Amino acid sequence: MAEHPDAALVRKGYEAFTTGDMETLRSLMTADCTHHSPGSSRMSGHFKGADNVLEHFGQLMELTNGTFRVEERGIYPDGRGHVMSVHKWHADRGDRGIEMDGGLFFTIVGGKVADVDECVADIEESDAFWDQAAAG
């Protein structure tokens, strides 16, 4: 059975993110794509526009000295323009590491990602990780 096109799109996005292929990632998003990150940390908020979303992803890498990584665990389309994905993310920052389950809820319009809502297993722990002072 062939993979649903929306699931294939999200899978391609995970692969591009994992390999740092920002041009491919950009090509998968609408120009006005929005990414919503939970919590109240420096990495929380609403990032509108492909450039701002990619800048947000760059910050994940910058703040973790390139250690931020995601392991995709499942991709589930609804056949009506939405895809839910689940993953585990890992990162090191300063003298602290984190490993947490999370997920993304995608809205697909015209074969491209238009909106992404991010969820994490523990918002308070995620906030604490991103807001800690980085060790020199």
Side-chain angles (χ1 to χ4, degrees):
M1 183 162 59
E3 184 172 45
H4 189 278
D6 292 345
L9 175 74
V10 169
R11 188 172 313 285
K12 187 173 183 179
Y14 268 93
E15 291 167 1
F17 183 89
T18 298
T19 61
D21 184 353
M22 295 299 118
E23 286 308 308
T24 294
L25 219 70
R26 178 187 302 279
S27 76
L28 304 176
M29 294 186 262
T30 61
D32 62 348
C33 179
T34 304
H35 182 103
H36 311 275
S37 290
S40 58
S41 76
R42 67 190 303 158
M43 295 307 293
S44 302
H46 309 283
F47 305 90
K48 184 155 180 74
D51 289 341
N52 290 325
V53 172
L54 293 174
E55 184 178 318
H56 173 67
F57 294 164
Q59 281 288 301
L60 296 171
M61 293 301 179
E62 184 177 319
L63 291 172
T64 64
N65 291 319
T67 65
F68 188 91
R69 70 186 193 284
V70 177
E71 295 173 20
E72 177 260 309
R73 301 282 174 95
I75 296 175
Y76 312 104
D78 71 356
R80 298 176 289 118
H82 302 102
V83 176
M84 180 176 62
S85 68
V86 292
H87 57 252
K88 184 173 287 285
W89 59 277
H90 311 261
D92 295 312
R93 185 152 191 264
D95 61 356
R96 181 176 180 179
I98 193 168
E99 179 177 292
M100 187 177 295
D101 290 326
L104 301 169
F105 184 80
F106 296 85
T107 301
I108 313 295
V109 176
K112 292 192 177 225
V113 174
D115 193 77
V116 182
D117 281 298
E118 179 182 355
C119 299
V120 295
D122 187 333
I123 294 171
E124 290 178 6
E125 180 66 19
S126 178
D127 282 348
F129 177 78
W130 292 117
D131 281 345
Q132 72 175 325

